[in-house]
Amino acid sequence: MNKMEKKRYSMEVAGKTLSLEASSLAGQTNASVLVQYGDTVALVTVVMSKKDVELNYMPLKVDYEERFYAAGKIIGSRFIRREGRPSEEAILAGRLIDRTLRPLFDSRIRREMQVVVTVLAIDEENDPDSVGLFGASAALGISDLPWGGPAAGVRIAKIGNEFVVNPGNSELQKPEREFEMFVSGTSDLVNMIELAGNEAKEEDIIKGFLIAQKEINRLVDFQKKIIEEIGKPKTQVSLFEPDADLRAAVEKFLAGKLEDAIYQKEKSEHYGRIARVREGLFEHLKGSFEKFDGKVVDTIFEDQINDLVHKNILEGEKRPDGRRLDEVRLLAGEVGLFTRTHGSAIFMRGDTQALAVTTLAAPGAEQLIETMETTGKRRFMLHYNFPSYSVGEIGSFRGPGRREIGHGALAEKSLRPLIPSVEEFPYTIRLVSEILSSNGSSSMATVCSCSLSLLDAGVPLKKMAAGIAMGLMMESEKKYKVLTDIQGPEDHHGDMDLKVAGTEDGVTGVQMDVKVGGVTIEILEKTLAQAKKARHEILGFMKTVIATPRKEVSKYAPVIFQTKINPEKIGTLIGPGGKMINGLIKKFALGSIDVEEDGRVFVSGPDRRQAEEALREIVSLTREFKIGEIIEGNVIKVLDFGAIVDLGGGQDGMIHVSELKSGFVKSVEEVVKVGDFVRAKIIRAEDGRIGLSIKQLS
């Protein structure tokens, strides 16, 4: 394709034009495309190395690059006005694309490959993640990289009684939204799901899947036409395949040894026995093969475990820990673990343990968000930590990675619709989940432990939520088994990981990844039904730990009172240079006084009595007086022409001499003196000046 030549393709999706342009842009890549939907534009590039690398996994990287100019913003530190560490939104978008693409590669490829999605423009209505995924699939399709696509994704929302395809961001803000989800996959198969719901019904979610699949099929067919026209021949890369003699030797040694090692109820015993079998295998091979690669042996070893776990579940419904296919592991839980924290709980499901701690703070402790797509505040935060010791390993503590951010985001969106409004509960809420031990679905254990911790903190949750991870062992679309509450080997060797969180009345969060090409709607329907049964069982147990919120928040949490003032009075409350508001904070030993643009005022502090007094003074200070209102106060000054009355809160009013009483008044002091307590009627209120009358009281 010469430098002036462009190929442009377009189709209609949900009433808007989706266009793809292939040109010489990024011409040194294996393929590149420019994709536009609405005014959202992304450049997607694909690069593959020229030779294989010595690894025991497929080296694929998927990067999602935000550019602040895409939104017309100059943000970041005042001293570093450029993009740095990716935002959580960027990490989650990159994960979403990665999780769709990765299962469609042959895992035996050992060439380094990289897909980069660079967002060039966003219109604040059409999310760039679906644009990026479409571009990534199309770029891979027209490139010479060996790949099993094309794939595509679409956003579906149920708003009121309608299902909306690719809703704009403004539509998703409507209060009648029941759920929104991003679904991706290939023709007639789904391989990735992200869903946030407001107690959505399983049957409605399935309807959403069916609508999404039709749109995905259209997008895939569109790509196939493009690939047929401009696609390059696929490069024939070598696929990793262990030496036949080595594989035979491994299989012979392991015959009859793996069954006893794998099928243990306790995780420590399971992994301990497998480690001993592996050590014996290596010792045996060292005596039989002068040169052998440990990574290759490990790959064969894992294949043998995978085949055995699949075979026993598909043929005999035999799980490694002996449970039934729909059985939840042993549950345990406790709340109120620490005195000084505002709320705490631990939830245990089998060997998985999630400790959750709740911290309550004033509204001013909200997190400020400023990214390419979002500018605003976050009042509810959930952070997830996965230390290496939770799986019995040694590791470094370098801050949250993609896993921590992804799992935390899933748990947060599963609980967000259940958090009370700021009017009901004016606190900023931060939850932290510490995974103390992991053996399958720590993100869903986080949903459970955080629900318990919130109730222990006295947060009036609308309802309690729980989560469960579902798995799949599949030989074909018709021969498969759905597993409830998957753990280590089933997670590692299974074909699907579908996490479902929600209340007794509906679903609040779903996430799905697969290791196969995709699953059918029939499989998803059966999995959601089985997950609902398990979720209700877990919720029943959680109610035995704590059923309702504590009646009061912890004595170590700040006390918060709120009121609303006329926004025009905000300046009066703050005072010149913040003198008034800072003076109140100091006078009453408050933590903070937070003022919103709409006139909401939040007073927080460690002492209830002091906070109440501060609130009364604020109300008095910003009080709006109306004509005809009766006031009371002390005379603080007498003038020749009238008297000044203290109205409280630093405000005063004047009684003119003609309004002191009926008839002639020779002197103001013959009616009132400084210090007198008087009642008067407001006869004028304009420009902050209050006119009073004693005469007109009658």
Side-chain angles (χ1 to χ4, degrees):
M1 188 178 292
N2 67 47
K3 292 189 177 183
M4 299 301 295
E5 186 179 356
K6 294 181 182 179
K7 289 282 188 178
R8 188 177 178 86
Y9 307 86
S10 64
M11 69 177 289
E12 292 298 308
V13 181
K16 290 174 275 193
T17 300
L18 173 68
S19 65
L20 180 145
E21 184 179 288
S23 68
S24 59
L25 286 177
Q28 298 188 62
T29 63
N30 291 66
S32 68
V33 296
L34 201 64
V35 185
Q36 180 168 351
Y37 187 61
D39 287 329
T40 295
V41 183
L43 171 69
V44 186
T45 60
V46 174
V47 175
M48 181 173 68
S49 65
K50 301 296 189 292
K51 58 182 181 180
D52 293 352
V53 291
E54 293 186 5
L55 296 170
N56 62 343
Y57 60 88
M58 178 188 65
L60 170 68
K61 293 180 181 178
V62 177
D63 290 304
Y64 180 92
E65 296 293 314
E66 291 180 319
R67 294 292 183 261
F68 298 149
Y69 58 70
K73 295 179 180 179
I74 299 177
I75 59 178
S77 163
R78 291 180 62 189
F79 301 98
I80 308 175
R81 291 296 195 183
R82 67 170 299 158
E83 297 79 5
R85 179 189 171 116
S87 69
E88 288 192 10
E89 286 178 346
I91 290 170
L92 295 173
R95 277 171 52 89
L96 180 147
I97 296 169
D98 186 304
R99 288 158 46 210
T100 302
L101 302 180
R102 191 173 293 273
L104 301 175
F105 283 93
D106 191 316
S107 62
R108 296 172 296 173
I109 294 174
R110 294 296 181 265
R111 292 272 185 102
E112 288 185 299
M113 299 171 289
Q114 185 174 35
V115 177
V116 179
V117 177
T118 305
V119 181
L120 302 180
I122 60 172
D123 59 14
E124 298 184 357
E125 273 294 301
N126 301 291
D127 274 344
D129 44 13
S130 58
V131 176
L133 173 58
F134 180 84
S137 173
L140 285 167
I142 66 174
S143 75
D144 59 342
L145 275 69
W147 189 54
V154 65
R155 196 172 299 279
I156 302 291
K158 184 170 186 280
I159 302 173
N161 294 319
E162 292 188 21
F163 290 88
V164 183
V165 178
N166 279 357
N169 290 336
S170 58
E171 290 179 278
L172 295 176
Q173 304 306 314
K174 293 181 178 178
E176 59 269 30
R177 179 190 66 109
E178 184 178 315
F179 68 80
E180 61 139 324
M181 62 180 176
F182 190 90
V183 183
S184 59
T186 60
S187 294
D188 299 322
L189 294 175
V190 174
N191 76 352
M192 199 287 304
I193 300 168
E194 281 286 347
L195 180 146
N198 190 4
E199 297 187 284
K201 305 302 179 188
E202 280 82 358
E203 54 268 29
D204 288 335
I205 294 173
I206 295 299
K207 289 177 185 175
F209 289 156
L210 291 169
I211 295 169
Q213 189 68 72
K214 288 180 182 178
E215 293 297 324
I216 290 169
N217 289 352
R218 288 182 61 233
L219 291 163
V220 167
D221 290 341
F222 176 52
Q223 289 181 65
K224 286 179 178 177
K225 292 177 183 177
I226 298 172
I227 294 166
E228 187 177 339
E229 184 175 334
I230 63 172
K232 301 175 184 177
K234 296 298 181 183
T235 299
Q236 296 299 312
V237 301
S238 59
L239 300 177
F240 170 76
E241 195 63 52
D243 177 74
D245 291 339
L246 179 61
R247 181 180 286 279
V250 172
E251 291 175 356
K252 182 178 180 181
F253 176 84
L254 293 178
K257 294 183 175 69
L258 282 179
E259 189 95 17
D260 182 60
I262 293 171
Y263 292 90
Q264 300 293 325
K265 288 188 176 182
E266 297 296 327
K267 178 182 178 180
S268 57
E269 186 66 20
H270 165 88
Y271 284 107
R273 293 192 181 205
I274 286 180
R276 288 192 288 274
V277 171
R278 179 181 177 277
E279 289 171 7
L281 171 64
F282 272 60
E283 287 298 320
H284 171 74
L285 293 176
K286 285 176 183 176
S288 305
F289 292 83
E290 289 186 9
K291 293 183 179 180
F292 77 94
D293 189 334
K295 293 179 180 179
V296 176
V297 175
D298 274 332
T299 300
I300 303 171
F301 185 64
E302 288 295 320
D303 286 346
Q304 292 297 297
I305 296 175
N306 180 76
D307 293 345
L308 184 59
V309 171
H310 268 74
K311 176 176 180 292
N312 284 343
I313 288 177
L314 287 169
E315 295 180 2
E317 297 190 354
K318 183 180 179 182
R319 300 179 70 172
D321 62 356
R323 282 180 293 143
R324 301 186 310 275
L325 297 186
D326 64 349
E327 185 178 349
V328 177
R329 285 173 288 171
L330 183 65
L331 303 174
E334 188 178 342
V335 295
L337 305 172
F338 314 113
T339 303
R340 298 300 297 239
T341 57
H342 303 160
S344 59
I346 189 165
F347 176 82
M348 294 179 278
R349 189 179 58 242
D351 291 321
T352 296
Q353 301 172 355
L355 169 68
V357 178
T358 302
T359 305
L360 305 177
E366 291 173 316
Q367 181 183 8
L368 300 178
I369 305 294
E370 190 176 37
T371 68
M372 181 184 71
E373 294 185 61
T374 306
T375 299
K377 298 178 181 179
R378 183 180 294 170
R379 171 179 164 250
F380 170 60
M381 299 160 278
L382 193 156
H383 298 137
Y384 167 101
N385 294 322
F386 191 87
S388 54
Y389 64 72
S390 67
V391 288
E393 296 177 357
I394 297 168
S396 302
F397 290 82
R398 296 176 179 172
R402 285 192 169 197
R403 175 195 177 97
E404 284 84 356
I405 289 170
H407 282 31
L410 172 60
E412 182 177 311
K413 76 181 179 185
S414 299
L415 288 169
R416 183 173 294 281
L418 307 175
I419 298 297
S421 67
V422 69
E423 289 76 21
E424 298 172 280
F425 192 72
Y427 285 90
T428 294
I429 304 166
R430 181 183 184 233
L431 278 162
V432 177
S433 173
E434 303 282 359
I435 304 306
L436 307 183
S437 176
S438 178
N439 187 23
S441 189
S442 55
S443 64
M444 293 296 94
T446 290
V447 173
C448 299
S449 65
C450 286
S451 284
L452 297 173
S453 180
L454 286 166
L455 294 180
D456 184 53
V459 179
L461 275 184
K462 295 174 184 176
K463 291 173 187 174
M464 191 185 293
I468 190 71
M470 309 296 294
L472 179 74
M473 296 291 173
M474 185 169 73
E475 186 175 292
S476 67
E477 291 180 14
K478 296 298 179 183
K479 187 175 181 180
Y480 62 86
K481 297 290 182 181
V482 176
L483 311 178
T484 293
D485 187 19
I486 55 174
Q487 60 173 342
E490 298 162 341
D491 187 8
H492 184 66
H493 300 290
D495 298 314
M496 176 185 77
D497 181 6
L498 192 152
K499 304 178 179 76
V500 186
T503 69
E504 289 180 332
D505 297 314
V507 175
T508 55
V510 177
Q511 186 180 89
M512 186 190 80
D513 305 317
V514 297
K515 295 173 186 168
V516 291
V519 297
T520 62
I521 305 293
E522 175 191 297
I523 292 174
L524 292 173
E525 187 172 12
K526 182 174 181 180
T527 305
L528 284 179
Q530 200 165 309
K532 181 178 180 180
K533 174 179 175 290
R535 187 173 79 244
H536 284 203
E537 180 182 337
I538 295 169
L539 285 167
F541 162 76
M542 290 167 64
K543 287 180 180 178
T544 67
V545 180
I546 183 170
T548 57
R550 304 284 190 204
K551 292 182 179 179
E552 294 183 355
V553 299
S554 166
K555 65 181 180 180
Y556 296 107
V559 176
I560 299 181
F561 294 102
Q562 60 179 310
T563 188
K564 190 163 187 179
I565 65 174
N566 186 333
E568 294 178 0
K569 294 281 187 177
I570 291 175
T572 302
L573 173 56
I574 294 175
K579 183 177 180 180
M580 178 61 72
I581 197 169
N582 289 328
L584 290 170
I585 291 171
K586 184 176 181 181
K587 177 181 177 181
F588 294 103
L590 302 175
S592 66
I593 299 175
D594 300 304
V595 186
E596 299 292 334
E597 290 182 359
D598 62 0
R600 287 178 298 160
V601 179
F602 301 91
V603 178
S604 65
D607 184 88
R608 174 177 289 272
R609 184 182 59 81
Q610 293 274 73
E612 285 177 333
E613 288 184 9
L615 184 68
R616 282 194 292 270
E617 188 154 330
I618 289 169
V619 170
S620 181
L621 177 67
T622 58
R623 178 180 173 182
E624 290 190 272
F625 295 95
K626 298 178 181 178
I627 294 174
E629 188 177 347
I630 307 301
I631 62 91
E632 296 177 336
N634 293 315
V635 176
I636 56 173
K637 194 171 186 179
V638 173
L639 305 168
D640 291 341
F641 50 84
I644 306 299
V645 179
D646 182 10
L647 302 180
Q651 298 193 73
D652 55 42
M654 190 186 80
I655 311 172
H656 190 265
V657 65
S658 63
E659 296 293 337
L660 286 171
K661 70 175 184 176
S662 298
F664 177 72
V665 178
K666 183 179 180 181
S667 147
V668 173
E669 288 193 327
E670 73 179 37
V671 182
V672 294
K673 295 181 176 60
V674 172
D676 285 355
F677 182 80
V678 298
R679 296 180 77 245
K681 183 178 182 178
I682 298 175
I683 59 173
R684 186 178 68 256
E686 56 186 30
D687 299 328
R689 290 176 292 183
I690 311 298
L692 306 174
S693 174
I694 296 176
K695 181 175 71 175
Q696 295 187 35
L697 271 177
S698 59

